[in-house]
Amino acid sequence: MQFPLYATPLPLGMISNKFDEHGLKAHKKYFRPVEKRKIYKIGEFEIEWIHITHSIIDASSLAITTEAGTIIHTGDFKIDHTPIDGFVTDLNRFAHYGEKGVLCLMSDSTNSYKEGITRSESTVGKTFDSIFAKAKGRVIMSTFSSNIHRVYQAIDYGLKYGRKVSVIGRSMERNLFTAIDLGYIQLDKSIFIDPHEVNKYPDKDVLIVTTGSQGETMSALYRMATDEHRHVKIKPTDQIIISAKAIPGNEGSVSKVLNFLLKSGANVAYQDFSEIHVSGHAAQEEQKLILRLVKPRFFLPVHGEYNHISKHKETAIQCGIPERNIVLMSDGDQIEVCAKYMKKIKTIKTGKVFIDNQINEQIADDVVIDRQKLADSGLVMLVIQIDKSEHKLISKPKIISYGLVPDRDDKAFSIEMEGVIDQFIVNAKAELLENARALENEVRQVVRKHIYRQMKKYPTIVPTIFMM
Amino acid sequence: MQFPLYATPLPLGMISNKFDEHGLKAHKKYFRPVEKRKIYKIGEFEIEWIHITHSIIDASSLAITTEAGTIIHTGDFKIDHTPIDGFVTDLNRFAHYGEKGVLCLMSDSTNSYKEGITRSESTVGKTFDSIFAKAKGRVIMSTFSSNIHRVYQAIDYGLKYGRKVSVIGRSMERNLFTAIDLGYIQLDKSIFIDPHEVNKYPDKDVLIVTTGSQGETMSALYRMATDEHRHVKIKPTDQIIISAKAIPGNEGSVSKVLNFLLKSGANVAYQDFSEIHVSGHAAQEEQKLILRLVKPRFFLPVHGEYNHISKHKETAIQCGIPERNIVLMSDGDQIEVCAKYMKKIKTIKTGKVFIDNQINEQIADDVVIDRQKLADSGLVMLVIQIDKSEHKLISKPKIISYGLVPDRDDKAFSIEMEGVIDQFIVNAKAELLENARALENEVRQVVRKHIYRQMKKYPTIVPTIFMM
């Protein structure tokens, strides 16, 4: 069963690029472009896409009108009164629904710890201007590939200072040209040069915009920093701008790429300027504005860890939402909401699964557990041939180990194991030496104990016994 | 050969606790307590310990006078003009050496991106006061175990509001009582209660100070948050204070413990207040003050990643150090410095080694590589018996795999492998079937190719062949 995918043109274009990339072209027939300020009847619901500002152009909130009432989902947002494209948040539609009555609001909690408001995307431009004005060599600006307005601003200042522009990074290039093709931004394509043309121009005439602001090791910036990029190597005269903040968890990798760039002698502007990057998410005053406009009966803070939605709850209480009308959800929770109540009704299982990146399939749990155990303590194989009439070893056991003892060619470990097995077989009861399965179990136990005594390790032990 | 360990009394006490913990009591005979403002002749050097402020009490900078000149090493520091114990940085000694002439300064770069100055430790007190004043139930304050002044301040406000104090966390307890025993802080021991006594007192009469501010899973706070602590479970009436900032890389684990605490319904003060935690490291203006007082000929920014020491270099250039007199070191670099020059002369090998935590020994590189490979793609064993006169299989091969196919009891994979081996043996040349070693290699290749075609994986393949 296939479900249609509804979106406004730019998001649909960006999703379409991803579908192309992953060989899902055939599924694009289920795409349904929508327009803002129109109401679409979809199944039981009437849905309006409402324009809202964010670090991605053409973002939407949703007003979903159901039999029980209207639900507003903000999506990722900030309230930018001076966005680059002039398309401000459609506050009036939020006000319209607020006035009619909203059953439930779901709102972005990412920055719920941040007081005040998030600065406008346009404030970054001034910082870019002052850096571009001083740059003597190339300027290399790195940001998220989805932040087209940031890329656009960098290009705008590049043009102001007479630079040609090379966009390096497949996802960034696709997003930018999709936005140009769809008319979201106006740029003459003649200003762009290919990565292999960068070295044909004087350094002071080149602007490179690229990905890798999170220190991703496969990104163009990382490869430039580590001298692995085909066309661009960092020079001491380069002015690099990292127009982003490390997403929690990425601090280490950002620091690493910074170290490489600085070791190459380049000038790097990162967190030196407070306005080199602004967030795409609402701070507390913006969260309050939406709460006050929408005046929902029930409130579900979304998009954030428990501590973020919990902080957003405090803000909502300050804005008059009764505490009992707010639910903090965990992943997998199912919520039921109607005029009388909102409550958790069920939790479905969620969590991480391992996907094999070669074949794009889930890896079975027991395979993961086996590999974990092998990684922790290695493995020992014991292949033993028993003469079951004579009740003795036919030949020396074969001992093979992985990930347990250093230098696998060293015979000491094998000789020790042979001794342990030999002694066990000599002393074993005759009937045990006629039952391969039972003997395997016994040998496993004996070897296991011996290795634990010697090495404080429990490797996977695999005896294979042939009775002959 | 044993080297003495010189330190002022508190650091020596804290190190002594660590030696006790790790069974190194016998080595404590090499401890040498020193006093500040005295000069010690040690080997070729004359060394003075200079008092400096930091998040650890009784921190020192070193002035090391050598034949070539004086080297000042700040150690970790900030310039706190209003420290809790009243012992301010001995700026006069820095001035004294600066006036006499300093060959080289090595200075803390941790906060070299931070403009202005780091706030005084005493500013945290006001925040504690306002939180304690409002708390209705227990107060649980978590910070670094080495930050004794922070712990002291919490206890001070605990006492002001009539609370008994339980210190939970072995390292914190040891550090605190070492500081009390040595007279660094004054606290009547009758105010302390044991963790098992916490539940005997009304909640509003209890202050718990504890470790775990970085979300460490073995810490007392984490165990309290996850209901695994013997004596303390988090209650909705608890006021928790996390008086720390996540060290880069720990953001995820701090967020996790926050989530647990909030899910227990407790009130958590973390980054809501700017003065709930202050750094122990100098910001730019303090770095400048040391540079200006010491007026070194050469400068080595230390304690930081490349991007931190690189930023500190910029600050030093602003303070009149010529760029050519600054070296940015990497781990392992050896520097030679004399009146004429400072330069890198050698680099020794450094890096991570894996230590087996059971036996406290280094794990050999090949063992690590083997385990990595097993973890990546698992292992297949093939035990094959060949009748070398008849040139055929004696019995079905035994196939055992780990970490490769789901459900090891499922025979499908074994049957497939048997087929591959069988077909290979049937078509193999007679002489190959008389040479176990050569045959093992061939079988490994055939199986390797087959598995890669089927699963896009290269597991470790271990054929064992018996010729009979």
Side-chain angles (χ1 to χ4, degrees):
Chain A
M1 188 170 164
Q2 296 285 352
F3 295 99
L5 195 157
Y6 298 85
T8 52
L10 184 67
L12 211 53
M14 291 168 79
I15 296 166
S16 170
N17 293 339
K18 288 280 172 203
F19 273 55
D20 291 347
E21 204 175 307
H22 296 284
L24 298 167
K25 267 200 172 69
H27 296 262
K28 285 161 58 175
K29 63 173 176 272
Y30 301 102
F31 284 12
R32 303 281 182 274
V34 296
E35 282 174 53
K36 283 161 181 171
R37 284 209 164 209
K38 281 195 178 172
I39 289 167
Y40 295 85
K41 174 120 181 91
I42 300 172
E44 308 272 307
F45 302 152
E46 287 180 352
I47 305 183
E48 175 177 351
W49 274 254
I50 303 175
H51 185 68
I52 199 156
T53 45
H54 178 51
S55 48
I56 300 183
I57 304 182
D58 197 17
S60 300
S61 296
L62 295 179
I64 305 162
T65 300
T66 72
E67 221 174 283
T70 297
I71 293 166
I72 303 254
H73 193 305
T74 61
D76 283 4
F77 82 101
K78 67 196 273 192
I79 308 287
D80 189 340
H81 295 301
T82 56
I84 299 302
D85 58 8
F87 290 104
V88 297
T89 297
D90 196 350
L91 296 170
N92 307 60
R93 294 306 292 165
F94 287 95
H96 164 81
Y97 283 103
E99 208 49 35
K100 269 182 45 181
V102 169
L103 180 65
C104 177
L105 170 67
M106 300 163 87
S107 181
D108 177 5
S109 311
T110 310
N111 275 345
S112 53
Y113 277 98
K114 222 168 89 188
E115 292 180 3
I117 62 140
T118 298
R119 279 191 304 268
S120 169
E121 177 63 30
S122 58
T123 60
V124 175
K126 278 174 246 159
T127 309
F128 280 1
D129 196 7
S130 70
I131 298 175
F132 276 81
K134 278 182 252 165
K136 300 268 185 297
R138 300 181 300 194
V139 175
I140 301 174
M141 195 285 291
S142 166
T143 191
F144 300 100
S145 67
S146 59
N147 197 333
I148 297 167
H149 275 154
R150 188 71 49 83
V151 172
Y152 174 79
Q153 289 199 83
I155 293 174
D156 210 30
Y157 287 101
L159 296 179
K160 176 175 168 186
Y161 293 99
R163 293 172 182 266
K164 290 280 177 186
V165 181
S166 185
V167 182
I168 306 184
R170 194 171 50 173
S171 55
M172 182 176 273
E173 203 182 340
R174 284 192 184 164
N175 289 338
L176 179 67
F177 289 104
T178 301
I180 294 174
D181 293 343
L182 294 172
Y184 283 87
I185 55 175
Q186 277 72 45
L187 284 170
D188 184 344
K189 288 198 181 173
S190 71
I191 64 169
F192 294 103
I193 57 174
D194 281 342
H196 71 266
E197 297 176 299
V198 162
N199 296 319
K200 292 185 191 159
Y201 290 82
D203 285 352
K204 66 170 185 29
D205 294 343
V206 173
L207 163 67
I208 294 168
V209 287
T210 186
T211 53
S213 63
Q214 297 300 303
E216 305 94 324
T217 50
M218 300 302 290
S219 68
L221 185 67
Y222 190 93
R223 283 181 288 127
M224 292 176 199
T226 53
D227 255 14
E228 285 161 14
H229 196 274
R230 259 176 80 193
H231 302 297
V232 182
K233 295 197 187 319
I234 301 298
K235 304 178 184 183
T237 49
D238 288 340
Q239 172 65 57
I240 294 153
I241 304 173
I242 297 183
S243 183
K245 213 185 125 182
I247 292 173
N250 292 350
E251 291 80 3
S253 49
V254 174
S255 201
K256 203 169 159 192
V257 79
L258 268 180
N259 293 340
F260 282 124
L261 292 167
L262 289 165
K263 280 186 187 175
S264 308
N267 235 314
V268 183
Y270 174 41
Q271 43 193 7
D272 317 53
F273 307 92
S274 58
E275 288 177 353
I276 205 163
H277 169 67
V278 296
S279 170
H281 299 274
Q284 287 172 7
E285 294 306 314
E286 295 152 276
Q287 293 176 338
K288 289 177 192 169
L289 175 58
I290 290 295
L291 281 156
R292 288 302 193 187
L293 277 173
V294 171
K295 299 184 284 185
R297 180 173 305 164
F298 298 106
F299 179 57
L300 278 178
V302 293
H303 198 163
E305 290 188 56
Y306 196 88
N307 66 85
H308 301 107
I309 60 174
S310 170
K311 194 77 197 164
H312 201 172
K313 174 180 173 177
E314 285 177 30
T315 303
I317 292 170
Q318 288 169 33
C319 291
I321 311 288
E323 185 169 359
R324 64 177 182 281
N325 287 3
I326 305 172
V327 172
L328 300 183
M329 289 187 290
S330 298
D331 289 346
D333 284 351
Q334 293 189 342
I335 302 291
E336 192 170 277
V337 58
C338 63
K340 289 214 182 72
Y341 63 82
M342 175 166 75
K343 65 179 184 194
K344 195 178 296 189
I345 50 164
K346 212 171 115 178
T347 299
I348 59 165
K349 191 174 169 265
T350 58
K352 288 180 183 161
V353 293
F354 291 95
I355 302 290
D356 185 315
N357 63 355
Q358 242 67 50
I359 52 173
N360 253 333
E361 277 174 26
Q362 189 180 335
I363 307 174
D365 289 348
D366 54 350
V367 170
V368 174
I369 293 166
D370 273 0
R371 288 198 203 155
Q372 184 64 56
K373 194 167 176 330
L374 293 171
D376 280 348
S377 1
L379 169 139
V380 182
M381 283 168 270
L382 317 157
V383 187
I384 303 168
Q385 293 178 308
I386 301 275
D387 181 329
K388 65 180 164 189
S389 45
E390 297 279 327
H391 298 125
K392 61 173 198 181
L393 289 168
I394 290 175
S395 58
K396 272 202 301 187
K398 288 207 185 189
I399 315 294
I400 303 164
S401 80
Y402 282 88
L404 185 68
V405 287
D407 190 3
R408 222 179 302 124
D409 293 332
D410 183 7
K411 295 273 170 255
F413 178 72
S414 298
I415 291 167
E416 186 184 331
M417 286 299 108
E418 285 164 23
V420 171
I421 294 167
D422 198 37
Q423 200 192 354
F424 177 74
I425 300 288
V426 167
N427 295 320
K429 287 188 187 144
E431 67 259 35
L432 185 62
L433 299 180
E434 289 161 16
N435 178 342
R437 203 64 183 270
L439 184 58
E440 280 175 6
N441 280 333
E442 293 289 320
V443 166
R444 183 182 291 112
Q445 291 312 321
V446 167
V447 170
R448 181 180 158 87
K449 274 183 206 155
H450 181 86
I451 291 178
Y452 185 74
R453 264 200 310 273
Q454 300 286 315
M455 313 188 184
K456 305 284 175 233
K457 281 260 161 314
Y458 288 121
T460 301
I461 296 170
V462 194
T464 302
I465 294 179
F466 291 99
M467 298 283 178
M468 300 173 154
Chain B
M1 191 168 160
Q2 296 286 352
F3 294 99
L5 196 157
Y6 298 85
T8 51
L10 185 68
L12 211 53
M14 291 168 79
I15 297 166
S16 171
N17 293 339
K18 288 281 172 201
F19 273 54
D20 291 346
E21 205 176 304
H22 295 285
L24 298 168
K25 267 199 172 69
H27 295 262
K28 285 161 60 175
K29 62 173 179 269
Y30 301 102
F31 284 12
R32 303 280 182 276
V34 295
E35 282 175 51
K36 285 162 180 170
R37 283 210 165 207
K38 279 194 179 174
I39 289 167
Y40 295 85
K41 175 120 181 92
I42 299 172
E44 307 272 307
F45 302 152
E46 287 179 355
I47 305 182
E48 175 177 351
W49 274 255
I50 303 175
H51 185 68
I52 201 156
T53 45
H54 178 51
S55 48
I56 300 184
I57 304 183
D58 196 18
S60 300
S61 297
L62 295 179
I64 305 162
T65 300
T66 72
E67 220 174 285
T70 297
I71 294 166
I72 303 251
H73 193 304
T74 61
D76 282 5
F77 81 101
K78 67 196 276 190
I79 308 287
D80 189 341
H81 294 301
T82 55
I84 298 302
D85 58 9
F87 289 104
V88 296
T89 297
D90 195 350
L91 295 170
N92 307 60
R93 293 308 290 165
F94 288 95
H96 164 80
Y97 282 103
E99 207 49 36
K100 268 179 52 179
V102 169
L103 180 65
C104 178
L105 170 67
M106 301 162 86
S107 181
D108 177 5
S109 309
T110 311
N111 275 346
S112 54
Y113 277 98
K114 222 168 90 189
E115 291 179 5
I117 62 141
T118 298
R119 280 192 304 269
S120 170
E121 176 64 31
S122 58
T123 60
V124 175
K126 278 175 247 159
T127 309
F128 280 1
D129 196 8
S130 70
I131 298 174
F132 276 80
K134 278 183 252 165
K136 299 267 185 297
R138 298 182 300 193
V139 175
I140 301 174
M141 193 287 288
S142 166
T143 191
F144 300 100
S145 66
S146 59
N147 198 332
I148 297 167
H149 276 154
R150 188 72 49 81
V151 172
Y152 174 78
Q153 289 198 84
I155 294 174
D156 210 31
Y157 286 101
L159 295 180
K160 176 177 167 184
Y161 293 99
R163 292 172 183 266
K164 290 280 177 186
V165 181
S166 186
V167 182
I168 305 184
R170 193 171 50 172
S171 55
M172 183 176 272
E173 203 182 338
R174 283 191 184 166
N175 289 337
L176 179 66
F177 287 104
T178 301
I180 294 175
D181 292 342
L182 294 173
Y184 282 87
I185 53 174
Q186 277 72 45
L187 284 171
D188 184 345
K189 288 196 181 173
S190 71
I191 63 170
F192 294 103
I193 56 174
D194 282 340
H196 71 266
E197 296 176 300
V198 161
N199 296 319
K200 292 186 193 160
Y201 291 82
D203 285 354
K204 65 170 187 28
D205 295 341
V206 173
L207 163 66
I208 293 168
V209 288
T210 186
T211 54
S213 63
Q214 296 300 304
E216 304 94 324
T217 50
M218 300 302 289
S219 68
L221 186 67
Y222 190 92
R223 283 180 288 129
M224 292 176 200
T226 53
D227 255 13
E228 284 161 14
H229 196 275
R230 260 176 81 192
H231 302 297
V232 182
K233 296 197 187 317
I234 301 297
K235 304 178 184 182
T237 49
D238 288 339
Q239 171 65 56
I240 293 153
I241 304 173
I242 297 183
S243 182
K245 213 184 124 183
I247 292 173
N250 292 351
E251 292 81 3
S253 48
V254 174
S255 202
K256 204 168 160 194
V257 78
L258 267 178
N259 294 339
F260 282 123
L261 291 168
L262 289 164
K263 280 186 186 174
S264 308
N267 234 315
V268 183
Y270 175 41
Q271 44 193 6
D272 319 51
F273 307 91
S274 59
E275 289 177 352
I276 205 164
H277 169 68
V278 296
S279 170
H281 298 274
Q284 288 172 7
E285 294 305 314
E286 294 153 277
Q287 293 176 337
K288 288 177 192 169
L289 175 58
I290 290 295
L291 282 156
R292 288 303 193 185
L293 276 173
V294 171
K295 299 184 285 185
R297 180 173 304 164
F298 298 105
F299 179 56
L300 279 178
V302 293
H303 198 164
E305 289 188 56
Y306 196 87
N307 67 85
H308 301 107
I309 60 174
S310 169
K311 194 76 195 163
H312 201 172
K313 174 181 173 176
E314 285 177 31
T315 303
I317 291 170
Q318 288 169 33
C319 291
I321 312 288
E323 184 169 359
R324 64 178 182 281
N325 286 3
I326 305 173
V327 172
L328 300 183
M329 290 187 290
S330 297
D331 290 344
D333 284 351
Q334 293 188 340
I335 302 291
E336 190 169 278
V337 58
C338 62
K340 289 213 183 73
Y341 63 83
M342 175 166 75
K343 65 181 183 193
K344 195 179 293 188
I345 50 164
K346 213 170 116 179
T347 299
I348 58 165
K349 191 172 169 266
T350 58
K352 289 180 184 161
V353 293
F354 291 94
I355 303 289
D356 185 315
N357 64 355
Q358 241 68 50
I359 53 172
N360 253 332
E361 276 174 27
Q362 189 179 336
I363 307 174
D365 288 348
D366 55 350
V367 170
V368 174
I369 293 166
D370 273 0
R371 289 198 203 155
Q372 184 64 55
K373 194 167 176 331
L374 293 170
D376 279 350
S377 358
L379 169 139
V380 182
M381 282 168 270
L382 317 157
V383 188
I384 302 169
Q385 293 178 309
I386 301 276
D387 181 328
K388 65 181 163 188
S389 45
E390 297 279 329
H391 298 125
K392 61 174 196 180
L393 288 169
I394 290 174
S395 57
K396 273 202 300 189
K398 289 209 185 189
I399 314 293
I400 304 163
S401 80
Y402 283 88
L404 186 68
V405 288
D407 191 2
R408 222 177 303 124
D409 293 333
D410 182 8
K411 294 274 171 254
F413 178 72
S414 297
I415 292 167
E416 187 183 328
M417 286 298 108
E418 285 164 22
V420 170
I421 294 166
D422 197 37
Q423 199 192 354
F424 176 75
I425 300 288
V426 166
N427 296 320
K429 289 189 183 142
E431 66 260 35
L432 186 61
L433 300 181
E434 290 162 15
N435 179 342
R437 203 62 182 269
L439 185 57
E440 280 176 5
N441 280 332
E442 292 291 320
V443 167
R444 183 182 291 113
Q445 291 311 321
V446 167
V447 170
R448 181 181 157 88
K449 274 182 204 155
H450 181 87
I451 291 178
Y452 185 75
R453 263 198 312 272
Q454 300 287 314
M455 313 189 185
K456 305 283 175 234
K457 281 262 161 314
Y458 288 123
T460 300
I461 295 169
V462 193
T464 302
I465 293 177
F466 291 99
M467 297 285 180
M468 300 174 153

